[in-house]
Amino acid sequence: MIGIYVRSANKDDGQIKKQLNECYKLIKNEPVKEYVDIGETGLQNNFPVAFQELNVDIGKGLIKKVVCHSPDRISRNKTDIQMFVLHCQRNGVDLEFVDGTNVMMLL
């Protein structure tokens, strides 16, 4: 299954819809689970609920690929982003960003 992760600090539904639409463009006819955090900042110490759920599902082997708009949707903290990339790698999960960010450049 593919996991799509989107996050917006604003409670603006339009920003979430835009991110989702762009993520779906990278996905062929495959099962998808959406992880959506609305009104959550990327600067907080605790990870948003949907992001935590995504990490658990990755650990359980339920997700084989994650699609996200850009690394800053995961976190504004570089170390947090690196930890997520490593978590994906350890679990054999591909990570793709809509903005074209090369995952290896994040490590």
Side-chain angles (χ1 to χ4, degrees):
M1 182 178 313
I2 294 178
I4 293 179
Y5 181 69
V6 296
R7 180 189 60 76
S8 177
N10 301 320
K11 294 192 178 189
D12 177 13
D13 196 23
Q15 191 63 251
I16 293 294
K17 287 179 183 176
K18 180 180 176 190
Q19 288 180 48
L20 284 169
N21 286 337
E22 290 178 3
C23 288
Y24 272 103
K25 290 178 185 177
L26 299 178
I27 299 170
K28 305 293 186 259
N29 295 322
E30 302 171 67
V32 172
K33 182 172 180 181
E34 296 175 1
Y35 300 85
V36 179
D37 283 313
I38 300 175
E40 299 285 349
T41 177
L43 295 171
Q44 61 197 27
N45 292 333
N46 297 324
F47 290 110
V49 173
F51 185 74
Q52 291 179 42
E53 182 183 352
L54 171 61
N55 276 288
V56 168
D57 286 353
I58 288 170
K60 289 180 178 177
L62 301 176
I63 302 297
K64 297 301 176 199
K65 180 178 181 178
V66 174
V67 177
C68 184
H69 184 271
S70 58
D72 69 349
R73 297 301 82 204
I74 293 168
S75 177
R76 299 280 185 182
N77 181 305
K78 185 176 179 179
T79 302
D80 290 343
I81 296 169
Q82 291 171 333
M83 288 173 44
F84 181 70
V85 170
L86 291 172
H87 179 62
C88 288
Q89 288 179 339
R90 281 192 301 270
N91 288 281
V93 173
D94 293 327
L95 178 57
E96 185 173 6
F97 294 103
V98 171
D99 73 356
T101 297
N102 182 334
V103 173
M104 297 312 294
M105 299 301 291
L106 298 173
L107 297 175

